[in-house]
Amino acid sequence: MRQLIPTGDMARPVAFAEVPQPVPGPGEALVKVEAFAPNRGETFLLERPEPGWLPGKDVAGLVVQPAADGSGPGAGTRVVGHPPHGGWAEYAAVPTHSLAVLPDGVDSVRAAALPLAGITALRLLRTAGSPAGLRVLLTGASGGVGHYVTELAVGGGAEVTAVTATPWRGERLAALGARVVHDVTAAEGPFDLVLESTGGPNLPAAVSLARPGGTVVWFGQASRTPATLDFFHLLGGPERVTIRHFHYAGAPYGRDLDALVRLVDRGRLRPEIGRTEDWARTADTLVDLRERRIRGKAVLTTGGTR
């Protein structure tokens, strides 16, 4: 089968290779991949790929071989999955605990845009608690996670201020009901909940906007710049602020994937897909994703998507 493998070349970060079809473990289904969605974090890993690492965590397609242990969906079932790796291929072995069945109303392209970003948004808001009535500040809001957090939080009754680099990247967030600003310092606090994903100087700036007794959840460092918090400066800001570290990872993912799929099917969650391409153009798409030339998610199709 064909699979995209890392090249170590930032200009052309992946290339096709002919490899053996994966052999699923007892609790894995073999999925014929119809669509997959890269994440910006994967573009960073592609700069210095570890030996043997195969990218690909967000896939949608068709089960062609059910799990040998009897778990999970049967042959011919349309699914979305979140494997640990190897999803940028014609076939992927996916643990059944990280699969969800797709309803007829959700196509493979929208489904592929859900896993990592959608699971992160769900778990982030679950960690923070009910958003109803809260004033929420969200940094790095223009990526896939930001769009899902904004739509879910606004839908749950929060007043959201979203920070994006440019007006273009904030257009849909404003349409979803967020107040959009283009610098953390332009946000009008105080905020009950701060969701910070950029690091660098934005983290201490965001912390200073939390209300006394408020919560800051730090869930990323998209700027790739370490953050420094000055204890004495912090004393001049909110009292008793709680700062929490968050990372989405931890299987099983199937329950959250099923929740996301149902939200999409009911029209309560609408993935923003900034680009859909044949997977022959994956390398170019990865570069544009890394350089922030794509708003929302990018999805690559292998042919025969439904």
Side-chain angles (χ1 to χ4, degrees), residues 56 118 123:
R123 293 184 174 185

Side-chain angles (χ1 to χ4, degrees), residues 219-301:
F219 69 101
Q221 192 163 293
S223 69
R224 309 178 78 180
T225 303
T228 300
L229 285 175
D230 185 319
F231 179 80
F232 297 102
H233 177 74
L234 193 62
L235 287 176
E239 298 175 3
R240 304 180 312 281
V241 66
T242 299
I243 302 175
R244 304 180 63 178
H245 167 260
F246 170 87
H247 188 254
Y248 92 101
Y253 300 107
R255 178 183 172 189
D256 288 337
L257 287 173
D258 185 64
L260 291 164
V261 165
R262 285 187 281 110
L263 287 168
V264 173
D265 193 41
R266 295 170 185 170
R268 295 180 58 192
L269 190 65
R270 293 169 289 276
E272 183 183 34
I273 299 172
R275 182 178 301 178
T276 305
E277 293 274 12
D278 183 272
W279 70 326
R281 294 190 55 81
T282 300
D284 294 332
T285 300
L286 289 169
V287 172
D288 287 345
L289 188 65
R290 184 185 68 219
E291 300 301 322
R292 294 191 176 278
R293 292 193 282 262
I294 299 172
R295 190 179 76 183
K297 297 291 293 181
V299 179
L300 288 306
T301 61

Side-chain angles (χ1 to χ4, degrees), residues 127-167:
T127 297
S130 171
L134 297 184
R135 299 194 74 234
V136 178
L137 174 65
L138 173 65
T139 68
S142 59
V145 175
H147 281 90
Y148 291 140
V149 167
T150 299
E151 189 163 13
L152 292 171
V154 170
E159 178 188 326
V160 177
T161 296
V163 184
T164 71
T166 64

Side-chain angles (χ1 to χ4, degrees), residues 183-234:
D183 190 282
V184 175
T185 59
E188 297 179 5
F191 294 95
D192 304 292
L193 174 65
V194 175
L195 304 175
E196 211 294 292
S197 66
T198 56
N202 282 345
L203 178 62
V207 170
S208 71
L209 292 170
R211 67 164 174 79
T215 300
V216 177
V217 183
W218 187 17
F219 69 101
Q221 192 163 293
S223 69
R224 309 178 78 180
T225 303
T228 300
L229 285 175
D230 185 319
F231 179 80
F232 297 102
H233 177 74
L234 193 62

